[in-house]
Amino acid sequence: MIDSYAKLDDTGVAIAAAQAGADVVRGMYGRRLDRIDKGAGDFATAADIEAEEAILGVIRAARPDDAVLGEEGGRRGGEGAGRQWLVDPLCGTLNYAVGTMLVAVNVALRDGAAAVADPFGGEVFATDGKIAWLRREGAADAQLEPSSATRLVDVNLDPPFPGAPGFRAVDLLAHPVFVERFRPRVVSTTLALAWVAAGKRAAYVTDGGDLSGSVHFAAGIALCRAAGCVVTGIDGAPLGESGRGLVVAADAETHGLLMSLIRG
């Protein structure tokens, strides 16, 4: 198995690692899991930790010289490593802990390949950094095609709210033009971004700082960019060290409308 992982390209490694994590998440679903407090209302479970170890096992076998930044284990690998993997083993821990299956497993090579696995939907969204596609068992890979046709917009309402009072997601939801044009949904996982790339959602909006290098968002951002979505901060600026939050839209018209509502 180690030899087979070593023969994979970076996208193959990302997919294999995400699938390994998804296997753990699926296998531990429904068990009574102790919560490991991380402060500020956040927590992890044994499923988060074991899924991260499964992902790390694949990356170590395939790319032993690469560094890894994991949500649960922090930084691992040599300080001088030229490449780094960003790992969120269970995005949507609160959903998972209460028996809701809207979760994702995220693996991304910084500025490179990425994969997002849906453990319960049986889907893996992947990109080599140039194109993005959906993989389902028993079916041919299908290229992701964003679309705003659903008019569904996922909005992250989790604290903290660094943009307040200048930007508050609840104000966006109450804006008359938003109510007329869109229908809000709340999915606090990377599935929201994967679904924008796949045409299941029209857009996704969240407050925050620079999210481009976040283990929570890196894989989803990579998917959306490769699929051709419009990706900026909530200020309309490109993502980067001085970035603020995230607005991802299926097309320029949807992005432009959301930006006008946010700025207004």
Side-chain angles (χ1 to χ4, degrees), residues 101-120:
M101 295 181 177
L102 292 175
V103 301
V105 177
N106 306 334
V107 179
L109 177 63
R110 190 182 290 274
D111 300 322
V116 173
D118 177 350
F120 301 103

Side-chain angles (χ1 to χ4, degrees), residues 143-164:
Q143 189 165 333
L144 297 183
E145 297 182 2
S147 170
S148 60
T150 66
R151 302 207 299 181
L152 299 176
V153 177
D154 276 303
V155 180
N156 184 5
L157 299 175
D158 290 342
F161 309 111

Side-chain angles (χ1 to χ4, degrees), residues 26-259:
R26 190 168 50 250
M28 297 183 72
Y29 178 76
R31 298 186 193 178
R32 185 182 180 91
L33 301 173
D34 291 336
R35 298 189 179 191
I36 304 162
D37 184 32
K38 297 166 69 174
D42 194 13
F43 64 90
T45 70
D48 298 72
I49 294 170
E50 291 193 25
E52 184 164 303
E53 287 302 316
I55 293 168
L56 288 173
V58 174
I59 295 174
R60 287 193 191 106
R63 302 291 188 270
D65 295 328
D66 289 357
V68 177
L69 175 61
E71 180 182 8
E72 309 307 333
R75 297 181 184 274
R76 309 189 196 195
E79 289 293 329
R83 295 166 23 119
Q84 183 184 55
W85 295 84
L86 305 172
V87 174
D88 184 355
L90 179 48
C91 187
T93 300
L94 179 56
N95 281 345
Y96 185 79
V98 299
T100 302
M101 295 181 177
L102 292 175
V103 301
V105 177
N106 306 334
V107 179
L109 177 63
R110 190 182 290 274
D111 300 322
V116 173
D118 177 350
F120 301 103
E123 298 180 328
V124 178
F125 305 86
T127 178
D128 58 4
K130 298 177 181 177
I131 62 171
W133 63 90
L134 171 62
R135 177 168 294 177
R136 294 189 186 94
E137 186 174 355
D141 291 349
Q143 189 165 333
L144 297 183
E145 297 182 2
S147 170
S148 60
T150 66
R151 302 207 299 181
L152 299 176
V153 177
D154 276 303
V155 180
N156 184 5
L157 299 175
D158 290 342
F161 309 111
F167 170 75
R168 298 191 304 178
V170 291
D171 294 336
L172 175 64
L173 298 183
H175 196 292
V177 177
F178 186 96
V179 173
E180 178 184 353
R181 179 67 181 268
F182 301 113
R183 291 293 176 267
R185 292 294 183 272
V186 180
V187 179
S188 297
T189 75
T190 308
L191 283 180
L193 288 171
W195 288 348
V196 177
K200 297 180 180 182
R201 292 288 192 269
Y204 174 82
V205 179
T206 185
D207 198 354
D210 174 20
L211 302 179
S212 60
S214 165
V215 296
H216 304 290
F217 290 93
I221 290 171
L223 282 175
C224 290
R225 281 175 165 162
C229 301
V230 181
V231 180
T232 70
I234 58 172
D235 54 359
L239 302 186
E241 292 183 5
S242 61
R244 293 181 50 218
L246 183 65
V247 178
V248 176
D251 52 49
E253 179 185 2
T254 300
H255 184 269
L257 179 55
L258 286 171
M259 290 308 307

